[in-house]
PDB file of all heavy atoms in Angstrom:
ATOM      1  N   SER A1256     123.352 106.528 116.211  1.00  0.00           N
ATOM      2  CA  SER A1256     122.781 106.593 117.555  1.00  0.00           C
ATOM      3  C   SER A1256     121.303 106.298 117.431  1.00  0.00           C
ATOM      4  O   SER A1256     120.740 106.275 116.346  1.00  0.00           O
ATOM      5  CB  SER A1256     122.966 107.998 118.135  1.00  0.00           C
ATOM      6  OG  SER A1256     122.163 108.918 117.431  1.00  0.00           O
ATOM      7  N   LEU A1304     132.386 114.639 121.677  1.00  0.00           N
ATOM      8  CA  LEU A1304     132.533 114.114 120.317  1.00  0.00           C
ATOM      9  C   LEU A1304     133.388 115.018 119.434  1.00  0.00           C
ATOM     10  O   LEU A1304     134.145 114.547 118.587  1.00  0.00           O
ATOM     11  CB  LEU A1304     131.148 113.917 119.691  1.00  0.00           C
ATOM     12  CG  LEU A1304     130.307 112.768 120.281  1.00  0.00           C
ATOM     13  CD1 LEU A1304     128.853 112.897 119.854  1.00  0.00           C
ATOM     14  CD2 LEU A1304     130.868 111.413 119.861  1.00  0.00           C
ATOM     15  N   LEU A1320     126.990 110.253 115.530  1.00  0.00           N
ATOM     16  CA  LEU A1320     126.593 110.692 116.870  1.00  0.00           C
ATOM     17  C   LEU A1320     126.640 112.206 116.976  1.00  0.00           C
ATOM     18  O   LEU A1320     125.735 112.841 117.564  1.00  0.00           O
ATOM     19  CB  LEU A1320     127.492 110.057 117.923  1.00  0.00           C
ATOM     20  CG  LEU A1320     127.310 108.558 118.161  1.00  0.00           C
ATOM     21  CD1 LEU A1320     128.378 108.031 119.114  1.00  0.00           C
ATOM     22  CD2 LEU A1320     125.930 108.266 118.731  1.00  0.00           C
ATOM     23  N   ASN A1382     120.976 107.495  87.277  1.00  0.00           N
ATOM     24  CA  ASN A1382     120.892 106.593  88.431  1.00  0.00           C
ATOM     25  C   ASN A1382     119.487 106.680  89.024  1.00  0.00           C
ATOM     26  O   ASN A1382     119.136 107.650  89.699  1.00  0.00           O
ATOM     27  CB  ASN A1382     121.943 106.974  89.477  1.00  0.00           C
ATOM     28  CG  ASN A1382     122.067 105.923  90.558  1.00  0.00           C
ATOM     29  OD1 ASN A1382     121.080 105.349  91.003  1.00  0.00           O
ATOM     30  ND2 ASN A1382     123.297 105.665  90.979  1.00  0.00           N
ATOM     31  N   TYR A1396     109.992 115.558 104.073  1.00  0.00           N
ATOM     32  CA  TYR A1396     110.053 116.880 104.706  1.00  0.00           C
ATOM     33  C   TYR A1396     109.093 117.878 104.051  1.00  0.00           C
ATOM     34  O   TYR A1396     109.246 119.093 104.203  1.00  0.00           O
ATOM     35  CB  TYR A1396     111.485 117.415 104.679  1.00  0.00           C
ATOM     36  CG  TYR A1396     112.372 116.633 105.615  1.00  0.00           C
ATOM     37  CD1 TYR A1396     113.204 115.623 105.144  1.00  0.00           C
ATOM     38  CD2 TYR A1396     112.345 116.858 106.988  1.00  0.00           C
ATOM     39  CE1 TYR A1396     114.003 114.885 106.002  1.00  0.00           C
ATOM     40  CE2 TYR A1396     113.135 116.123 107.859  1.00  0.00           C
ATOM     41  CZ  TYR A1396     113.960 115.138 107.358  1.00  0.00           C
ATOM     42  OH  TYR A1396     114.746 114.403 108.230  1.00  0.00           O
ATOM     43  N   PHE A1419     108.147 106.231  89.213  1.00  0.00           N
ATOM     44  CA  PHE A1419     107.832 106.944  90.451  1.00  0.00           C
ATOM     45  C   PHE A1419     106.337 107.245  90.565  1.00  0.00           C
ATOM     46  O   PHE A1419     105.933 108.234  91.172  1.00  0.00           O
ATOM     47  CB  PHE A1419     108.641 108.252  90.562  1.00  0.00           C
ATOM     48  CG  PHE A1419     110.087 108.095  90.243  1.00  0.00           C
ATOM     49  CD1 PHE A1419     110.638 108.669  89.117  1.00  0.00           C
ATOM     50  CD2 PHE A1419     110.905 107.328  91.060  1.00  0.00           C
ATOM     51  CE1 PHE A1419     111.971 108.510  88.810  1.00  0.00           C
ATOM     52  CE2 PHE A1419     112.240 107.164  90.768  1.00  0.00           C
ATOM     53  CZ  PHE A1419     112.789 107.753  89.636  1.00  0.00           C
ATOM     54  N   LEU A1427     100.068 113.483  95.434  1.00  0.00           N
ATOM     55  CA  LEU A1427      98.748 113.975  95.053  1.00  0.00           C
ATOM     56  C   LEU A1427      97.729 113.743  96.171  1.00  0.00           C
ATOM     57  O   LEU A1427      96.833 114.577  96.391  1.00  0.00           O
ATOM     58  CB  LEU A1427      98.297 113.280  93.760  1.00  0.00           C
ATOM     59  CG  LEU A1427      99.084 113.687  92.505  1.00  0.00           C
ATOM     60  CD1 LEU A1427      98.813 112.720  91.370  1.00  0.00           C
ATOM     61  CD2 LEU A1427      98.726 115.119  92.090  1.00  0.00           C
ATOM     62  N   TYR A1434      91.413 111.911  92.650  1.00  0.00           N
ATOM     63  CA  TYR A1434      91.205 111.387  91.298  1.00  0.00           C
ATOM     64  C   TYR A1434      92.546 111.172  90.607  1.00  0.00           C
ATOM     65  O   TYR A1434      92.820 110.089  90.060  1.00  0.00           O
ATOM     66  CB  TYR A1434      90.346 112.367  90.491  1.00  0.00           C
ATOM     67  CG  TYR A1434      90.142 111.974  89.042  1.00  0.00           C
ATOM     68  CD1 TYR A1434      89.034 111.232  88.661  1.00  0.00           C
ATOM     69  CD2 TYR A1434      91.067 112.338  88.066  1.00  0.00           C
ATOM     70  CE1 TYR A1434      88.842 110.870  87.334  1.00  0.00           C
ATOM     71  CE2 TYR A1434      90.890 111.977  86.738  1.00  0.00           C
ATOM     72  CZ  TYR A1434      89.784 111.241  86.381  1.00  0.00           C
ATOM     73  OH  TYR A1434      89.604 110.872  85.073  1.00  0.00           O
ATOM     74  N   THR A1448     105.473  93.206  90.612  1.00  0.00           N
ATOM     75  CA  THR A1448     104.644  92.636  91.679  1.00  0.00           C
ATOM     76  C   THR A1448     104.839  93.322  93.025  1.00  0.00           C
ATOM     77  O   THR A1448     103.885  93.502  93.785  1.00  0.00           O
ATOM     78  CB  THR A1448     104.933  91.134  91.820  1.00  0.00           C
ATOM     79  OG1 THR A1448     106.349  90.945  92.027  1.00  0.00           O
ATOM     80  CG2 THR A1448     104.501  90.378  90.576  1.00  0.00           C
ATOM     81  N   ASP A1477      86.269 105.961  85.154  1.00  0.00           N
ATOM     82  CA  ASP A1477      86.969 106.389  83.944  1.00  0.00           C
ATOM     83  C   ASP A1477      87.965 105.328  83.477  1.00  0.00           C
ATOM     84  O   ASP A1477      88.142 105.114  82.273  1.00  0.00           O
ATOM     85  CB  ASP A1477      87.684 107.724  84.206  1.00  0.00           C
ATOM     86  CG  ASP A1477      86.717 108.899  84.209  1.00  0.00           C
ATOM     87  OD1 ASP A1477      85.545 108.700  83.840  1.00  0.00           O
ATOM     88  OD2 ASP A1477      87.123 110.014  84.599  1.00  0.00           O
ATOM     89  N   LEU A1487      91.121  94.729  89.195  1.00  0.00           N
ATOM     90  CA  LEU A1487      91.460  95.583  90.338  1.00  0.00           C
ATOM     91  C   LEU A1487      90.540  96.802  90.391  1.00  0.00           C
ATOM     92  O   LEU A1487      90.030  97.156  91.468  1.00  0.00           O
ATOM     93  CB  LEU A1487      92.914  96.027  90.259  1.00  0.00           C
ATOM     94  CG  LEU A1487      93.359  96.991  91.380  1.00  0.00           C
ATOM     95  CD1 LEU A1487      93.259  96.315  92.739  1.00  0.00           C
ATOM     96  CD2 LEU A1487      94.778  97.494  91.127  1.00  0.00           C
ATOM     97  N   PRO A1503      73.376  99.760  95.956  1.00  0.00           N
ATOM     98  CA  PRO A1503      72.912  99.218  94.665  1.00  0.00           C
ATOM     99  C   PRO A1503      74.019  99.222  93.613  1.00  0.00           C
ATOM    100  O   PRO A1503      74.165  98.260  92.850  1.00  0.00           O
ATOM    101  CB  PRO A1503      71.765 100.170  94.286  1.00  0.00           C
ATOM    102  CG  PRO A1503      71.277 100.705  95.599  1.00  0.00           C
ATOM    103  CD  PRO A1503      72.505 100.844  96.444  1.00  0.00           C
ATOM    104  N   ASP A1513      82.033  89.246  89.363  1.00  0.00           N
ATOM    105  CA  ASP A1513      81.774  87.808  89.471  1.00  0.00           C
ATOM    106  C   ASP A1513      81.726  87.156  88.089  1.00  0.00           C
ATOM    107  O   ASP A1513      82.223  86.039  87.895  1.00  0.00           O
ATOM    108  CB  ASP A1513      80.452  87.591  90.207  1.00  0.00           C
ATOM    109  CG  ASP A1513      80.123  86.119  90.377  1.00  0.00           C
ATOM    110  OD1 ASP A1513      80.769  85.459  91.201  1.00  0.00           O
ATOM    111  OD2 ASP A1513      79.227  85.626  89.660  1.00  0.00           O
ATOM    112  N   GLN A1525      80.973  87.338  99.469  1.00  0.00           N
ATOM    113  CA  GLN A1525      81.741  88.259 100.305  1.00  0.00           C
ATOM    114  C   GLN A1525      81.018  89.587 100.454  1.00  0.00           C
ATOM    115  O   GLN A1525      81.003  90.195 101.531  1.00  0.00           O
ATOM    116  CB  GLN A1525      83.128  88.471  99.703  1.00  0.00           C
ATOM    117  CG  GLN A1525      84.018  87.232  99.729  1.00  0.00           C
ATOM    118  CD  GLN A1525      85.318  87.433  98.973  1.00  0.00           C
ATOM    119  OE1 GLN A1525      85.705  88.547  98.635  1.00  0.00           O
ATOM    120  NE2 GLN A1525      85.993  86.331  98.675  1.00  0.00           N
ATOM    121  N   GLU A1637      68.786  76.434 124.991  1.00  0.00           N
ATOM    122  CA  GLU A1637      67.614  77.256 124.703  1.00  0.00           C
ATOM    123  C   GLU A1637      66.360  76.704 125.381  1.00  0.00           C
ATOM    124  O   GLU A1637      65.495  77.464 125.826  1.00  0.00           O
ATOM    125  CB  GLU A1637      67.396  77.356 123.192  1.00  0.00           C
ATOM    126  CG  GLU A1637      68.446  78.169 122.457  1.00  0.00           C
ATOM    127  CD  GLU A1637      68.469  79.624 122.898  1.00  0.00           C
ATOM    128  OE1 GLU A1637      67.414  80.135 123.349  1.00  0.00           O
ATOM    129  OE2 GLU A1637      69.530  80.268 122.804  1.00  0.00           O
ATOM    130  N   LEU A1642      62.362  77.645 129.850  1.00  0.00           N
ATOM    131  CA  LEU A1642      61.721  77.356 131.134  1.00  0.00           C
ATOM    132  C   LEU A1642      61.781  78.563 132.062  1.00  0.00           C
ATOM    133  O   LEU A1642      60.850  78.812 132.828  1.00  0.00           O
ATOM    134  CB  LEU A1642      62.388  76.142 131.783  1.00  0.00           C
ATOM    135  CG  LEU A1642      62.161  74.810 131.043  1.00  0.00           C
ATOM    136  CD1 LEU A1642      63.084  73.721 131.581  1.00  0.00           C
ATOM    137  CD2 LEU A1642      60.694  74.380 131.167  1.00  0.00           C
ATOM    138  N   ILE A1710      79.097  92.622 139.353  1.00  0.00           N
ATOM    139  CA  ILE A1710      78.099  93.634 139.701  1.00  0.00           C
ATOM    140  C   ILE A1710      77.002  93.035 140.577  1.00  0.00           C
ATOM    141  O   ILE A1710      76.625  93.612 141.614  1.00  0.00           O
ATOM    142  CB  ILE A1710      77.493  94.240 138.418  1.00  0.00           C
ATOM    143  CG1 ILE A1710      78.538  95.109 137.706  1.00  0.00           C
ATOM    144  CG2 ILE A1710      76.252  95.069 138.744  1.00  0.00           C
ATOM    145  CD1 ILE A1710      78.110  95.565 136.319  1.00  0.00           C
ATOM    146  N   ALA A1725      64.698  97.287 148.183  1.00  0.00           N
ATOM    147  CA  ALA A1725      65.202  97.702 146.878  1.00  0.00           C
ATOM    148  C   ALA A1725      65.805  96.517 146.136  1.00  0.00           C
ATOM    149  O   ALA A1725      65.629  96.366 144.921  1.00  0.00           O
ATOM    150  CB  ALA A1725      66.234  98.816 147.038  1.00  0.00           C
ATOM    151  N   ASP A1727      64.975  93.382 146.471  1.00  0.00           N
ATOM    152  CA  ASP A1727      63.888  92.519 145.997  1.00  0.00           C
ATOM    153  C   ASP A1727      63.290  93.064 144.694  1.00  0.00           C
ATOM    154  O   ASP A1727      63.007  92.294 143.760  1.00  0.00           O
ATOM    155  CB  ASP A1727      62.789  92.425 147.059  1.00  0.00           C
ATOM    156  CG  ASP A1727      63.208  91.580 148.258  1.00  0.00           C
ATOM    157  OD1 ASP A1727      64.241  90.880 148.147  1.00  0.00           O
ATOM    158  OD2 ASP A1727      62.515  91.638 149.288  1.00  0.00           O
ATOM    159  N   LEU A1748      61.998  98.928 138.087  1.00  0.00           N
ATOM    160  CA  LEU A1748      63.161  99.817 138.143  1.00  0.00           C
ATOM    161  C   LEU A1748      62.763 101.224 138.583  1.00  0.00           C
ATOM    162  O   LEU A1748      63.493 101.886 139.343  1.00  0.00           O
ATOM    163  CB  LEU A1748      63.857  99.857 136.785  1.00  0.00           C
ATOM    164  CG  LEU A1748      64.541  98.543 136.367  1.00  0.00           C
ATOM    165  CD1 LEU A1748      65.075  98.645 134.941  1.00  0.00           C
ATOM    166  CD2 LEU A1748      65.691  98.193 137.326  1.00  0.00           C
ATOM    167  N   GLN A1774      64.327  99.783 123.798  1.00  0.00           N
ATOM    168  CA  GLN A1774      62.969  99.854 123.263  1.00  0.00           C
ATOM    169  C   GLN A1774      62.830 100.957 122.206  1.00  0.00           C
ATOM    170  O   GLN A1774      61.722 101.287 121.795  1.00  0.00           O
ATOM    171  CB  GLN A1774      61.981 100.145 124.405  1.00  0.00           C
ATOM    172  CG  GLN A1774      61.956  99.101 125.500  1.00  0.00           C
ATOM    173  CD  GLN A1774      61.325  97.811 125.068  1.00  0.00           C
ATOM    174  OE1 GLN A1774      60.313  97.811 124.388  1.00  0.00           O
ATOM    175  NE2 GLN A1774      61.902  96.688 125.460  1.00  0.00           N
ATOM    176  N   PRO A1798      78.398 108.231 135.959  1.00  0.00           N
ATOM    177  CA  PRO A1798      79.214 108.334 134.736  1.00  0.00           C
ATOM    178  C   PRO A1798      78.780 107.367 133.640  1.00  0.00           C
ATOM    179  O   PRO A1798      78.916 107.672 132.451  1.00  0.00           O
ATOM    180  CB  PRO A1798      80.636 108.030 135.230  1.00  0.00           C
ATOM    181  CG  PRO A1798      80.617 108.434 136.666  1.00  0.00           C
ATOM    182  CD  PRO A1798      79.240 108.082 137.154  1.00  0.00           C
ATOM    183  N   LYS A1802      77.868 108.616 129.942  1.00  0.00           N
ATOM    184  CA  LYS A1802      78.398 108.035 128.700  1.00  0.00           C
ATOM    185  C   LYS A1802      77.255 107.648 127.761  1.00  0.00           C
ATOM    186  O   LYS A1802      77.325 107.859 126.544  1.00  0.00           O
ATOM    187  CB  LYS A1802      79.249 106.809 129.004  1.00  0.00           C
ATOM    188  CG  LYS A1802      79.758 106.102 127.744  1.00  0.00           C
ATOM    189  CD  LYS A1802      80.411 104.787 128.067  1.00  0.00           C
ATOM    190  CE  LYS A1802      80.795 104.043 126.800  1.00  0.00           C
ATOM    191  NZ  LYS A1802      79.615 103.683 125.982  1.00  0.00           N
ATOM    192  N   ARG A1849      84.057 116.749 113.215  1.00  0.00           N
ATOM    193  CA  ARG A1849      83.524 117.851 114.001  1.00  0.00           C
ATOM    194  C   ARG A1849      83.868 119.184 113.365  1.00  0.00           C
ATOM    195  O   ARG A1849      85.008 119.432 112.983  1.00  0.00           O
ATOM    196  CB  ARG A1849      84.104 117.778 115.411  1.00  0.00           C
ATOM    197  CG  ARG A1849      83.383 118.636 116.422  1.00  0.00           C
ATOM    198  CD  ARG A1849      84.008 118.411 117.782  1.00  0.00           C
ATOM    199  NE  ARG A1849      83.446 119.310 118.757  1.00  0.00           N
ATOM    200  CZ  ARG A1849      84.050 119.659 119.874  1.00  0.00           C
ATOM    201  NH1 ARG A1849      85.246 119.181 120.125  1.00  0.00           N
ATOM    202  NH2 ARG A1849      83.486 120.475 120.718  1.00  0.00           N
TER     203      ARG A1849
END
Side-chain angles (χ1 to χ4, degrees):
S1256 68
L1304 290 165
L1320 289 173
N1382 191 321
Y1396 290 99
F1419 314 112
L1427 290 166
Y1434 176 93
T1448 55
D1477 284 351
L1487 177 63
D1513 181 73
Q1525 293 173 14
E1637 291 297 333
L1642 292 168
I1710 290 171
D1727 288 347
L1748 292 174
Q1774 300 289 318
K1802 176 189 175 297
R1849 195 177 174 203

